[in-house]
Amino acid sequence: TQGRSSAGSDGEKRQRIQAISALDPQLSLLIVEHDMDLVFSVCDSVTVIANGRVLAEGVGDTVRHDKNVIEAYLGKKKEAGS
């Protein structure tokens, strides 16, 4: 589904995950996607880029919990009393 976002029904998302998962595991893909659940479900390694800068690279759990990724995409945590 070249040029398509993963936006759509859960069924369409499952089809995309199945199609990607069925590819040769030696194949390298560049997936530009905002649906991180989809990304983490099909990728062995993830690189997060924001404003032209690499924020984090690694396996899903490492990237998912990286403070720079969290701040860039979820905003900074406010401290108590702020």
Side-chain angles (χ1 to χ4, degrees):
T1 55
Q2 180 181 3
R4 289 190 50 164
S5 164
S6 69
S9 72
D10 286 341
E12 289 172 332
K13 181 176 175 178
R14 275 192 302 278
Q15 287 177 333
R16 287 187 184 91
I17 290 171
Q18 289 172 344
I20 293 168
S21 297
L23 296 172
D24 181 341
Q26 297 300 312
L27 184 65
S28 294
L29 297 176
L30 171 63
I31 300 174
V32 179
E33 182 57 63
H34 289 93
D35 183 337
M36 296 313 293
D37 290 331
L38 181 144
V39 171
F40 292 136
S41 72
V42 297
C43 295
D44 296 324
S45 176
V46 177
T47 302
V48 176
I49 300 173
N51 299 319
R53 189 176 67 114
V54 173
L55 295 183
E57 292 182 275
V59 296
D61 281 343
T62 301
V63 172
R64 185 187 306 262
H65 296 104
D66 184 278
K67 72 176 186 97
N68 293 322
V69 173
I70 293 168
E71 287 179 3
Y73 288 95
L74 301 176
K76 293 183 181 184
K77 289 183 178 178
K78 291 189 178 191
E79 298 196 19
S82 297

